[in-house]
Amino acid sequence: MTAPGEAARRKPARRPTIKDIARRAGVSESAVSFALNDRPGVSQDTRARVRRVAEELGWQANSAARALSGERAGAMGLVLARPAQTLGVESFFLQLVSGIQEVLSARQIALLFQVVEDLDSECALYRRWWAERRVDGVLVVDPRTDDPRPELLAALGLPAVVVGGPAAPGPDPAEPSAGEPSAGEPSATEPATAEPSATEPAATPPHPLLSTVWADDAKAMARILDHLYGLGHRRIVHIAGLPGLAHTARRIQSLRTEADRRGLDRRQVHSVTTDYSDAEGAEATRRLLDAARPPTAIVYDNDVMAVAGASVAAERGIPVPGALSIVAWDDSALCRVTHPRLTALVRDTPGFGRLAAQELLAVLDGGPLRTVQGELPHLEARESTATPSPG
Amino acid sequence: MTAPGEAARRKPARRPTIKDIARRAGVSESAVSFALNDRPGVSQDTRARVRRVAEELGWQANSAARALSGERAGAMGLVLARPAQTLGVESFFLQLVSGIQEVLSARQIALLFQVVEDLDSECALYRRWWAERRVDGVLVVDPRTDDPRPELLAALGLPAVVVGGPAAPGPDPAEPSAGEPSAGEPSATEPATAEPSATEPAATPPHPLLSTVWADDAKAMARILDHLYGLGHRRIVHIAGLPGLAHTARRIQSLRTEADRRGLDRRQVHSVTTDYSDAEGAEATRRLLDAARPPTAIVYDNDVMAVAGASVAAERGIPVPGALSIVAWDDSALCRVTHPRLTALVRDTPGFGRLAAQELLAVLDGGPLRTVQGELPHLEARESTATPSPG
DNA sequence: TTGTAAGCGTTATCAA
DNA sequence: TTGATAACGCTTACAA
């Protein structure tokens, strides 16, 4: 081994190119290219020889050259638009990203990941990536009810998949079309199978411009309501996340539907929105508990707020689950380390990421525009939910 | 607007190239290149005109072409080697990444972010990135006491910066395996201050192969000890993270030094290692609290374990901070949502990321190999630490 | 101060 | 089945 300083400084070894392989295998460059890309037009013998030499030399295609020549950058993009401070405690994104990469890296596709401050920056970044030909496609997260991104991406012709589902159904408070689905019945409005259905826009309109993978928040909310209603809860408040997000709207809508279905009073079963922070989660909880007839159960849209809410209850000496039941939407270590441990809606987030990546690859391969549904989350009942004490 | 389906499908608008600009501005391609890259050799007038046309056309350099021609890929890499399950609740990485990108994106440099299962995959990925010329440099996180990555990267000649500090001081013969502290003789007292200096390799050897940015864990631990000792604690246990990580070793070492300095009993002031998970944090806490003379204070190496520990105390009816004080190494929403709120060591993680990115850029610009120290973290005293009750 | 032309490493088009 | 050869879009000598 050379001296450390020298090693760190020395010129990098030259990377082998196709030309090197061609020379060494005694064939032309184009033969090498064909051989290495599994294209017809080269004999088995030559192919094998070329492969062996490439292996020996440790050759890997120069991604820039490939991108310049072919049309593919060999990379996908993922932008997270969040103010730096709110880059929180959530395990959601890292898990999502890990699932995405499981699929992409198997195809030697890299992931460009960028955190920006806001939606405008995100759009600007898409434009730049597009102009620079940096990425072959992008995954759009945190879809909103009024989202400029699909239109932009469609206009740019940059393949994209929306992760997290289509926007909520239109501003229809009564939600007549999803009216009275009996539990378990595979309702026509919510296809359990992931078929591209542009014909059934009522409850879950496939996004008009981009393919979409999403979780069925409506059914998930129904499961939570089943659980709480079954325990005897009649005053249930949903502390939701950011009002602009599509899934927030879907959850709020679903809570209404489920409340109506059971003839519950809408003044006692409703949603309030927050910014997902522990601070707003705690604040909302305080307000609710101060009311004349406080809820007997609260559903939080993320784990951090749920834990914050549990903490507020503890401060006030309100027993959980005796006087207040708590459900967290999204499970994580947080829900298991608190005391009592929190009942949570468990999703397979890496699986969701894999699904999204697969769908993006499908779009790149010219697949049809469609809406794919992820696995339905299940409710993990723990110690924070129980039959409410009378009163 | 065209019909949605058509918009999504239609061929993307052609991206403008230098040739387009040249034609439109009535100059040669090379003049355009010079003008846009701030190189001498074109008149002010031409430069202005070219710039204006480029602006009009919304031109952005094709990253592949630039990478192929020049030597720069215009991207950096960051690999996180973690089993998918342990992709936890930590806010650390997203914050680090956001800081890194603040610096990189200002220079139009992208970040390739990849999550892999283990260190071998990480090394393989570096080789691939190098061979593919995908990245100009990488940021190495989670440095280990015995780390193969610096040597690999140095050998490849891939510029890199180690984020998180140099490995711990060499093997300490007195080092008892974590968990069973021997009443070893006090080792030579280390200097309380740990300056990054090549002349003082004992405490903090700058990494021999790569530039490094790091936080002074020794001083941070000293601060925690100051706080707890000042409150009257004499039985203090440090529930550390993964034993192989460099900063874990530094913290363990520092705890010993600080204990010795104050004449504390090493059987009562020691470290145990874990895998950072809530489960192991809770388990270690249970074991400690079951001991004949349980600690009066526990320092946890991350926020998740600290919250888990607090939960264990709550389960057993051990008042915090009355009978047990708790300190979390690294602050996050978690520490603020629990009840009581946890005293935590607060670091400027985005700032640390910025520093790392700056250092990487410096290395790329041919700067010297060096070790840079981040801002010293401070201890945010909250409600989980107090004078221990007698007994 | 300008324009011409030769690369960078692939892929893709054609003859041979 | 092969092997030249021309793109791809940019940078950079080198000439004008």
Side-chain angles (χ1 to χ4, degrees):
Chain A
M1 193 69 200
T2 49
E6 192 188 335
R9 285 290 161 210
R10 95 179 146 213
K11 277 275 176 276
R14 209 174 68 78
R15 298 161 182 89
T17 73
I18 270 192
K19 199 177 286 178
D20 297 318
I21 300 177
R23 193 164 341 131
R24 213 149 134 166
V27 294
S28 75
E29 290 179 43
S30 50
V32 173
S33 179
F34 281 139
L36 294 173
N37 289 307
D38 267 332
R39 271 194 220 308
V42 59
S43 68
Q44 280 308 321
D45 189 49
T46 308
R47 190 182 302 276
R49 188 152 36 97
V50 166
R51 284 248 175 88
R52 195 164 37 70
V53 173
E55 184 88 16
E56 277 170 25
L57 264 47
W59 177 88
Q60 293 279 105
N62 178 320
S63 58
R66 178 169 275 174
L68 185 56
S69 174
E71 294 276 80
R72 290 279 216 270
M76 304 291 185
L78 173 60
V79 185
L80 189 52
R82 299 246 178 136
Q85 299 91 328
T86 58
L87 280 176
V89 170
E90 292 176 63
S91 51
F92 182 79
F93 271 102
L94 274 187
Q95 299 211 359
L96 185 75
V97 164
S98 106
I100 289 169
Q101 290 180 338
E102 212 173 296
V103 171
L104 296 187
S105 68
R107 289 234 212 159
Q108 304 246 61
I109 295 170
L111 185 74
L112 261 64
F113 176 66
Q114 187 123 3
V115 181
V116 300
E117 278 287 307
D118 52 40
L119 210 56
D120 285 343
S121 309
E122 181 173 345
C123 289
L125 188 53
Y126 289 145
R127 287 181 185 284
R128 206 171 84 194
W129 278 351
W130 171 80
E132 292 179 347
R133 284 181 162 79
R134 273 251 191 222
V135 297
D136 299 319
V138 298
L139 294 151
V140 177
V141 297
D142 285 345
R144 318 210 173 187
T145 45
D146 185 19
D147 203 318
R149 295 170 293 175
E151 192 167 353
L152 168 64
L153 292 166
L156 291 176
L158 190 55
V161 167
V162 175
V163 183
D172 180 4
E175 180 79 340
S177 59
E180 301 279 334
S182 51
E185 174 199 345
S187 87
T189 53
E190 292 156 16
T193 54
E195 291 300 315
S197 62
T199 56
E200 208 69 68
T204 60
H207 203 287
L209 295 169
L210 300 179
S211 275
T212 296
V213 297
W214 71 305
D216 191 338
D217 293 282
K219 260 192 199 136
M221 181 60 96
R223 288 197 173 179
I224 293 173
L225 261 282
D226 278 344
H227 177 67
L228 294 174
Y229 187 88
L231 288 170
H233 292 273
R234 297 297 179 267
R235 299 201 301 277
I236 302 169
V237 176
H238 168 218
I239 298 191
L242 286 167
L245 297 182
H247 68 257
T248 301
R250 286 205 307 274
R251 293 175 192 180
I252 290 174
Q253 180 60 48
S254 173
L255 180 70
R256 287 212 191 92
T257 306
E258 294 299 319
D260 291 348
R261 204 155 73 82
R262 294 176 174 83
L264 294 171
D265 185 343
R266 276 227 191 151
R267 282 163 305 186
Q268 300 189 338
V269 179
H270 62 98
S271 302
V272 299
T273 58
T274 66
D275 66 354
Y276 279 120
S277 70
D278 58 304
E280 291 205 4
E283 179 53 29
T285 306
R286 277 191 203 99
R287 267 202 312 274
L288 290 170
L289 296 180
D290 283 342
R293 305 207 63 188
T296 61
I298 303 181
V299 179
Y300 293 87
D301 251 7
N302 72 4
D303 44 4
V304 175
M305 290 197 297
V307 175
S311 180
V312 167
E315 263 170 41
R316 309 214 163 180
I318 297 173
V320 172
L324 179 68
S325 284
I326 288 178
V327 176
W329 196 300
D330 249 354
D331 192 26
S332 80
L334 272 77
C335 298
R336 296 183 298 267
V337 299
T338 53
H339 184 73
R341 295 177 308 145
L342 304 185
T343 293
L345 193 77
V346 180
R347 304 192 271 180
D348 175 14
T349 306
F352 198 54
R354 287 194 294 273
L355 191 66
Q358 277 155 359
E359 191 54 32
L360 183 52
L361 290 175
V363 169
L364 253 92
D365 289 347
L369 204 65
R370 57 181 195 160
T371 297
V372 179
Q373 197 166 320
E375 199 180 272
L376 196 62
H378 76 273
L379 191 67
E380 175 99 4
R382 298 203 182 96
E383 297 133 21
S384 68
T385 46
T387 297
S389 52
Chain B
M1 197 68 203
T2 50
E6 191 188 336
R9 286 288 160 209
R10 93 177 149 218
K11 277 276 174 276
R14 210 175 66 80
R15 298 161 182 87
T17 73
I18 269 193
K19 200 177 286 179
D20 297 319
I21 299 177
R23 194 167 338 136
R24 210 145 136 166
V27 294
S28 75
E29 292 178 42
S30 56
V32 173
S33 178
F34 283 139
L36 293 172
N37 289 308
D38 267 330
R39 273 196 218 307
V42 286
S43 66
Q44 280 307 320
D45 190 49
T46 307
R47 191 181 301 275
R49 188 151 35 97
V50 167
R51 284 246 175 87
R52 194 164 39 71
V53 173
E55 183 89 16
E56 278 171 25
L57 265 48
W59 177 89
Q60 293 279 105
N62 177 319
S63 58
R66 178 168 276 172
L68 186 56
S69 173
E71 295 276 78
R72 292 278 216 270
M76 304 290 185
L78 173 60
V79 184
L80 189 53
R82 299 246 177 136
Q85 299 91 329
T86 57
L87 280 176
V89 171
E90 292 176 62
S91 51
F92 183 79
F93 270 102
L94 274 188
Q95 299 211 0
L96 184 75
V97 163
S98 106
I100 288 169
Q101 290 181 338
E102 212 173 296
V103 171
L104 295 187
S105 68
R107 291 235 211 159
Q108 304 247 62
I109 294 170
L111 185 73
L112 261 64
F113 176 67
Q114 187 124 2
V115 181
V116 299
E117 278 285 310
D118 52 40
L119 209 56
D120 285 343
S121 309
E122 181 174 346
C123 288
L125 188 53
Y126 289 146
R127 288 181 185 283
R128 206 172 84 194
W129 277 353
W130 171 81
E132 293 179 348
R133 283 179 162 82
R134 273 253 191 219
V135 297
D136 299 319
V138 298
L139 294 151
V140 177
V141 297
D142 284 345
R144 317 210 173 188
T145 44
D146 185 20
D147 203 318
R149 295 171 293 176
E151 192 167 352
L152 169 64
L153 292 166
L156 292 175
L158 190 57
V161 167
V162 175
V163 183
D172 178 355
E175 177 145 0
S177 59
E180 279 302 318
S182 64
E185 73 288 352
S187 66
T189 308
E190 311 259 352
T193 57
E195 293 299 320
S197 62
T199 57
E200 203 80 64
T204 62
H207 203 287
L209 295 169
L210 300 179
S211 275
T212 296
V213 297
W214 70 305
D216 191 339
D217 293 282
K219 256 188 201 143
M221 182 60 98
R223 287 196 173 177
I224 293 173
L225 261 283
D226 279 344
H227 177 66
L228 293 174
Y229 187 89
L231 288 170
H233 292 273
R234 298 296 179 267
R235 299 201 300 278
I236 302 167
V237 176
H238 167 220
I239 299 191
L242 286 167
L245 296 183
H247 69 258
T248 301
R250 287 204 307 274
R251 291 175 192 180
I252 291 174
Q253 179 60 46
S254 173
L255 180 69
R256 286 213 190 90
T257 306
E258 293 299 319
D260 291 347
R261 208 155 71 82
R262 293 177 174 84
L264 294 172
D265 185 343
R266 277 227 192 153
R267 281 164 304 187
Q268 300 189 339
V269 179
H270 65 271
S271 303
V272 299
T273 57
T274 67
D275 66 354
Y276 278 120
S277 71
D278 60 302
E280 290 205 4
E283 181 51 32
T285 305
R286 278 190 202 99
R287 268 203 311 275
L288 289 170
L289 296 180
D290 283 342
R293 305 207 62 190
T296 62
I298 303 182
V299 179
Y300 293 87
D301 251 6
N302 72 4
D303 44 4
V304 176
M305 290 197 296
V307 175
S311 180
V312 166
E315 263 170 42
R316 309 214 161 182
I318 297 172
V320 173
L324 179 67
S325 284
I326 288 179
V327 176
W329 195 301
D330 249 353
D331 192 26
S332 80
L334 273 76
C335 298
R336 297 182 299 266
V337 298
T338 54
H339 184 72
R341 295 178 308 144
L342 303 184
T343 293
L345 193 76
V346 180
R347 305 192 271 180
D348 175 14
T349 306
F352 199 54
R354 287 194 294 273
L355 191 66
Q358 277 156 359
E359 192 53 33
L360 183 52
L361 291 175
V363 169
L364 253 92
D365 289 346
L369 205 64
R370 59 183 193 156
T371 298
V372 179
Q373 196 167 323
E375 199 179 90
L376 196 61
H378 78 273
L379 191 68
E380 175 99 6
R382 299 205 182 95
E383 297 133 21
S384 68
T385 48
T387 297
S389 52

